[in-house]
Amino acid sequence: MPSFFRLSVVRAAFIAAAALVLTGAAAAQPAAAPGASQVLRATLKNGLRVVIVRNTLAPVVSTSINYLVGSDEAPEGFPGMAHAQEHMMFRGSPGLTAAQLAQIGGMMGGQFNADTQESVTQYLFTVPADDIDVALRIGAIRMRGVDDSQQDWDKERGAIEQEVSRDLSDPDYVLYRKLRAVLFAGTAYAHDALGTQPSFEKTTAPMLKSFYDRWYAPNNAVLVIVGDLDPAKTLARVRALYGDIPAKKLPARPQYHPEPVQSKTLTITTDRSTAATLIALRMPGPQSPDFAAAEVLADVLSSQRGALYALVPQGKAIATDFELSALPKASLAYAAAIYPAAANADEVKAQMIAILRDIREHGVPPALVAAAKLQEKTQAGVQQDSIEGLASIWSQALTVYGLASPDADLKRIEKVTTADVDRVARQYLDLDHAIVAVTTPRNSGKPVASGGFGGQESITLPKVKAAHLPQWAQTALGRLSVPPSVLDPQVTTLPNGITLIVQPEAVSDTVSVYGHIKNRQQTEAPADEQGVGDVLEQMFSFGTQNMSRLDFQQALDAIGAKETAGSDFTLQVPAQEFDRGLQLVADNELHPAFQAPVMAMLQRQLAQVLAVRNQSPAFLSDRALRQSLFPAADPSLRDATPATVAALTLDKLKAYYATVFRPDETTIVVMGKVSPAAVKAAVLRDFGAWTSTGPKPETDLPAAPPNVRAVVAVPDRSRLQDNVLLAESTSLTRTAPDYYALNLGNAVLGGGFYSTRLSIDLRKNTGLVYTVDSSVISGPNRSIYLIDYACDPANVSKAEAIAIDDVKAMWAAPPTADEMAQAKALLLRRIPLQQASFDDIAQGLIQRHDLGLPLDEPTLAARRYLAMTAAEVQAAFHKWLRPADFVRISEGPAPK
């Protein structure tokens, strides 16, 4: 539940093989607020600050209650106190039990959570607009009081300790934790909000209640509400629900007095497939007058026109980045380079230091400063294209950045000059006080197969009972109906076969393009050419036949656009620059520069990465799952190897491109401030001459026979905890009527947040896991049913036994009427929630088109769910699932 930032590998095809993810505090994310007429602000008499932002993208509302307390205020020796109290807020309050809260949350769509940061703890609800009163009531009840009973804490302690084990099993998180300890020694920032297992063992419920009583108050909170709402009516309801909650006298807050950073080198072994070097620095926080210039500096350093990224086309790195992770009073900044494990880490470090030193001594290119500021403006508009995302951005701006609105950050960025950036670079790119971190992959050993059930235990748990909901929740959530769709996609099939889908939206002055070419390397490339698609995907970042790499990126920067190309391509661009942006995307997609030296470099890098990846725990777990579920000749078992990549030629790559990149397998979705007619004309102009020859290649995996029981343990020396997958294959297809019955039953079993059988049995009642989920993954010819959880090695078999017993229970008896009503409410209310961002809308349209489903399939599915009976759900589980045949794949220490 802490908020994490992520450093992602820039180059898409190497993501699975070459990703480095750092876990830590939320990254800097400036944004523009909607116009003043869409924002209503108020401060209640008790001190509660309220900000209401109207956004009509979907009939959805997102609420965020931000308490201005976090790990900074944790008592000495108890760094996770705020995090523990966040957990306990889900264990009940006077007037609202934990069971009621979980059931209500599930029935509203299951999109509620919380996170603890350094200076703020956030409680988040995203719900259909009709359910806003329920979300507000829950927030008010929890602001008035919390149970914090010792009995509940004794159970919740197990779950939070599992969360600690999970994060400590991630080498990147361990590295992040070490970086913080050195960069912020002597301050509260030296630790994050997660906490430690020893301190949780010493924590008591009275300690938690005391923490709540001191800090949880309306005058220490900010309520942000974003979505399709009436601001005045919403504010009136907030006053009625929250206005009489008494204010409190708040304790003094800790001061931030950092010590000088002592230069140090950290080395970490990792289970990733690549090596990485990070150079970490302490930089100003968002409340510093230098922060805006630091944001621009970070953008310049991460630019694809910059010297750091130049390491990629030079073949010295697979990916590079510069990140600024903002804490209130300071930021953790780092330059990162990711490269094959065979590369010379000392040389990479020396080159990175030389680049940063040159920037410090000679300044930044003014053209990159201008480009960064224009890109920030575009991204500020893009951030309005998600209701939940906009609520999060407003919350961060008000509570962490200390600003009046997200727009205030953009305004100060617009005032930044090149001289400001140079000054900040001279002051803060202090390499004599930098922390250098190097991560190196290591082999953890081969998978170990075992027979039997893996030590199944017999565990008896109380029968799950539905909670009796308060009248206000029953009244609001008792209605079950097909939610009206606000989408009206305009669909056209162009003469060359492109499917064009246009969804006009006016929530921002930007346009987003999402393109997808239906493809599958495993079926479209011969077994001895696996990896050709991975190399091809990387070729698109090296320019086109008409423009060099740098000229192409400069053209994007000139219009404030972001673009990616390949079998999935995207564009984010100001509406007035849509035509030029689309021209650039089309040039990249249709005329990539297939240069032999570039291909040779990419082959060498990918072969080196695969040599490590194919022995990594993550890959071995994935392959063990596929080998256990499917026959030896199944195309899904075709994997790239160093040998298959080394044998590729430029002619083979071009042939694969000609086979796979076809207009009649392409879907393009355009969303934003556009007209369908203008979009069609532009796409015809830029993509209309694209043609394909011959029959379409096969892209669907074939039907497969049922799997048999298998147990495989994949060792991972980096982990304290086991990741566990329980899975089985089935011949159910996505278009089969039974898919909906199985999916509805899955919402009862495990796919419906905290109120499901699996979550209640494995988390709430036993504390064996932190999270557990289940899903039906269906394609045109087959499906996988999957249950996944993480737990300590001693609990792997216990948790498995409970999970399988829960599946058997779905066989043995139909779900109860209460469970059916709750599952139907969850799935019906998820429909509008999945239409509350451009990304979700576009990806949903593309996925449905790929699967041959009607674009209004969610509405059709809702009608099926409404009419479905419990007997149909039981029959589907009995027909398609085989409890005795679940495969168990664990990754981590040997299960006990």
Side-chain angles (χ1 to χ4, degrees):
M1 295 188 184
S3 175
F4 301 134
F5 76 95
R6 292 189 177 276
L7 164 66
S8 58
V9 176
V10 177
R11 303 170 64 195
F14 287 137
I15 284 179
L20 172 71
V21 180
L22 271 180
T23 305
Q29 46 180 356
S37 63
Q38 295 179 281
V39 180
L40 180 62
R41 305 167 185 267
T43 299
L44 305 192
K45 291 180 179 180
N46 57 11
L48 176 65
R49 285 189 285 159
V50 184
V51 176
I52 301 171
V53 183
R54 187 165 186 262
N55 183 299
T56 58
L57 175 62
V60 169
V61 171
S62 188
T63 68
S64 177
I65 298 183
N66 303 270
Y67 291 97
L68 303 181
V69 59
S71 58
D72 289 355
E73 288 74 30
E76 184 71 27
F78 295 88
M81 182 71 74
H83 183 202
Q85 182 53 52
E86 174 220 300
H87 273 242
M88 290 300 288
M89 292 291 281
F90 293 88
R91 284 282 179 173
S93 296
L96 187 69
T97 68
Q100 290 173 331
L101 176 59
Q103 188 167 328
I104 292 169
M107 292 180 75
M108 288 196 298
Q111 204 158 317
F112 73 104
N113 211 330
D115 76 90
T116 305
Q117 301 176 34
E118 288 72 22
S119 60
V120 62
T121 304
Q122 300 173 326
Y123 296 90
L124 317 162
F125 266 97
T126 299
V127 301
D130 288 344
D131 295 328
I132 182 175
D133 191 73
V134 178
L136 292 175
R137 278 183 181 270
I138 290 172
I141 289 172
R142 300 204 292 181
M143 188 177 286
R144 292 177 186 277
V146 68
D147 289 342
D148 275 349
S149 74
Q150 188 63 47
Q151 181 181 8
D152 285 338
W153 171 239
D154 289 342
K155 293 179 180 178
E156 190 61 32
R157 182 191 290 114
I160 199 170
E161 289 181 351
Q162 288 301 309
E163 184 182 0
V164 172
S165 292
R166 179 199 67 182
D167 288 349
L168 292 179
S169 295
D170 181 349
D172 299 329
Y173 173 76
V174 173
L175 171 59
Y176 172 77
R177 199 165 179 160
K178 290 184 176 182
L179 287 175
R180 285 187 64 141
V182 177
L183 283 171
F184 302 112
T187 75
Y189 292 168
H191 62 79
D192 68 354
L194 180 65
T196 65
Q197 289 178 333
S199 68
F200 289 137
E201 289 297 326
K202 295 186 296 181
T203 300
T204 65
M207 293 168 64
L208 292 169
K209 186 62 165 59
S210 175
F211 185 83
Y212 173 93
D213 289 341
R214 290 196 307 274
W215 294 106
Y216 278 64
N219 53 315
N220 196 41
V222 180
L223 171 58
V224 174
I225 310 170
V226 177
D228 189 9
L229 47 75
D230 182 314
K233 290 182 179 179
T234 302
L235 179 58
R237 193 64 185 135
V238 170
R239 290 187 188 279
L241 291 169
Y242 293 80
D244 64 344
I245 301 174
K248 298 176 181 177
K249 183 178 179 180
L250 299 173
R253 298 183 186 276
Q255 299 297 307
Y256 175 71
H257 298 297
E259 301 172 358
V261 177
Q262 302 299 318
S263 181
K264 190 174 184 179
T265 297
L266 304 174
T267 56
I268 301 287
T269 56
T270 177
D271 55 7
R272 306 301 186 203
S273 303
T274 53
T277 294
L278 285 81
I279 299 176
L281 303 146
R282 190 166 69 205
M283 294 190 77
Q287 298 174 20
S288 164
D290 288 338
F291 184 72
E295 290 181 285
V296 176
L297 175 61
D299 290 342
V300 169
L301 287 170
S302 59
S303 168
Q304 292 193 27
R305 295 161 61 193
L308 188 62
Y309 183 81
L311 296 175
V312 175
Q314 292 168 9
K316 299 173 182 177
I318 294 170
T320 63
D321 205 357
F322 191 94
E323 289 286 333
L324 186 67
S325 175
L327 310 173
K329 302 294 185 182
S331 293
L332 189 162
Y334 60 88
I338 301 167
Y339 46 88
N344 187 315
D346 289 337
E347 290 182 5
V348 174
K349 181 182 75 172
Q351 290 164 336
M352 294 174 67
I353 289 174
I355 291 167
L356 296 177
R357 181 171 287 120
D358 183 72
I359 291 289
R360 187 186 190 204
E361 294 176 357
H362 301 105
V364 298
L368 294 189
V369 172
K373 292 166 66 175
L374 187 56
Q375 290 283 4
E376 289 280 2
K377 185 175 181 179
T378 300
Q379 291 307 302
V382 169
Q383 288 168 342
Q384 296 179 48
D385 298 340
S386 166
I387 290 175
E388 187 174 66
L390 191 58
S392 175
I393 290 161
W394 268 92
S395 295
Q396 292 296 107
L398 296 169
T399 64
V400 177
Y401 282 38
L403 300 174
S405 73
D407 191 49
D409 192 46
L410 182 62
K411 287 180 178 178
R412 63 184 183 178
I413 285 175
E414 290 174 338
K415 296 177 181 178
V416 169
T417 66
T418 301
D420 293 330
V421 179
D422 289 345
R423 175 181 53 79
V424 166
R426 286 193 300 272
Q427 181 174 351
Y428 295 101
L429 293 183
D430 183 0
L431 299 174
D432 293 332
H433 296 87
I435 309 300
V436 177
V438 179
T439 67
T440 306
R442 69 173 176 183
N443 192 311
S444 289
K446 299 292 184 181
V448 178
S450 63
F453 198 71
Q456 180 183 7
E457 302 188 25
S458 176
I459 299 175
T460 302
L461 294 171
K463 186 177 180 180
V464 175
K465 296 181 180 180
H468 179 73
L469 299 184
Q471 187 59 50
W472 50 266
Q474 292 183 39
T475 301
L477 303 178
R479 64 186 190 281
L480 291 177
S481 60
V482 176
S485 176
V486 296
L487 298 182
D488 184 24
Q490 306 298 300
V491 184
T492 306
T493 302
L494 303 186
N496 60 0
I498 290 176
T499 299
L500 174 62
I501 304 173
V502 183
Q503 175 67 37
E505 296 288 353
V507 294
S508 73
D509 292 322
T510 61
V511 176
S512 293
V513 177
Y514 304 82
H516 172 69
I517 299 169
K518 189 176 182 181
N519 72 99
R520 189 181 301 275
Q521 179 179 226
Q522 294 159 317
T523 60
E524 293 178 293
D528 61 355
E529 293 182 19
Q530 292 299 301
V532 62
D534 300 320
V535 175
L536 172 61
E537 294 286 348
Q538 300 315 302
M539 300 291 284
F540 291 95
S541 62
F542 288 85
T544 75
Q545 297 171 26
N546 302 307
M547 303 177 74
S548 70
R549 178 186 70 83
L550 287 174
D551 287 343
F552 185 83
Q553 187 59 47
Q554 185 174 355
L556 290 171
D557 284 342
I559 60 173
K562 287 191 177 295
E563 179 262 8
T564 63
S567 56
D568 289 293
F569 52 97
T570 62
L571 172 70
Q572 294 174 333
V573 65
Q576 68 271 21
E577 301 290 357
F578 168 69
D579 275 0
R580 178 56 176 154
L582 192 67
Q583 290 171 1
L584 291 170
V585 173
D587 189 32
N588 205 359
E589 282 292 304
L590 307 185
H591 309 292
F594 290 147
Q595 304 170 52
V598 171
M599 181 179 174
M601 176 192 73
L602 294 174
Q603 280 179 276
R604 182 183 70 254
Q605 287 181 335
L606 182 56
Q608 291 173 339
V609 168
L610 291 174
V612 178
R613 185 207 72 170
N614 290 2
Q615 301 300 318
S616 68
F619 175 82
L620 294 174
S621 296
D622 178 68
R623 184 161 180 85
L625 180 65
R626 288 179 280 133
Q627 287 177 321
S628 299
L629 292 179
F630 304 118
D634 193 82
S636 69
L637 291 169
R638 296 178 181 174
D639 289 312
T641 68
T644 63
V645 170
L648 296 173
T649 65
L650 188 58
D651 286 340
K652 290 179 179 179
L653 182 138
K654 289 180 177 179
Y656 181 80
Y657 171 81
T659 298
V660 174
F661 281 61
R662 305 168 56 101
D664 54 359
E665 291 279 48
T666 300
T667 304
I668 298 176
V669 177
V670 181
M671 298 188 64
K673 193 169 282 190
V674 294
S675 74
V679 170
K680 179 180 177 181
V683 174
L684 279 171
R685 179 197 66 212
D686 297 330
F687 287 89
W690 186 20
T691 60
S692 54
T693 59
K696 293 181 181 180
E698 181 59 66
T699 57
D700 295 328
L701 292 169
N707 65 278
V708 297
R709 169 70 177 168
V711 176
V712 181
V714 178
D716 186 345
R717 291 187 292 173
S718 297
R719 299 189 58 83
L720 303 177
Q721 192 183 58
D722 280 294
N723 275 335
V724 184
L725 296 176
L726 308 178
E728 68 179 20
S729 62
T730 170
S731 58
L732 177 73
T733 66
R734 180 60 180 84
T735 55
D738 275 354
Y739 168 82
Y740 297 96
L742 194 64
N743 197 46
L744 183 60
N746 180 64
V748 173
L749 179 63
F753 205 63
Y754 289 154
S755 57
T756 63
R757 292 184 181 185
L758 286 173
S759 184
I760 291 171
D761 288 345
L762 291 176
R763 188 187 193 280
K764 181 176 182 291
N765 289 342
T766 63
L768 293 176
V769 306
Y770 171 53
T771 59
V772 58
D773 195 13
S774 64
S775 54
V776 187
I777 304 171
S778 295
N781 300 309
R782 66 194 195 188
S783 296
I784 297 173
Y785 193 81
L786 188 69
I787 300 172
D788 62 282
Y789 59 91
C791 66
D792 290 339
N795 295 328
V796 169
S797 295
K798 294 178 184 177
E800 180 188 17
I802 292 171
I804 298 302
D805 281 347
D806 281 346
V807 174
K808 290 177 179 178
M810 296 292 292
W811 259 49
T816 66
D818 286 330
E819 286 179 318
M820 287 291 289
Q822 181 177 327
K824 289 180 180 183
L826 169 78
L827 296 179
L828 292 174
R829 283 174 166 83
R830 274 186 177 172
I831 293 173
L833 301 187
Q834 293 168 347
Q835 299 174 358
S837 75
F838 277 22
D839 286 352
D840 286 344
I841 292 170
Q843 293 306 321
L845 292 169
I846 288 171
Q847 289 169 10
R848 292 193 285 278
H849 183 264
D850 254 16
L851 289 167
L853 298 170
L855 295 185
D856 65 345
E857 186 269 345
T859 298
L860 303 177
R863 293 171 184 158
R864 288 177 180 264
Y865 293 136
L866 270 177
M868 197 163 288
T869 66
E872 289 176 292
V873 170
Q874 181 189 9
F877 266 75
H878 208 278
K879 179 178 180 179
W880 297 107
L881 296 189
R882 312 172 308 278
D885 291 342
F886 271 89
V887 168
R888 189 184 86 190
I889 310 295
S890 61
E891 178 189 339
K896 299 175 182 177

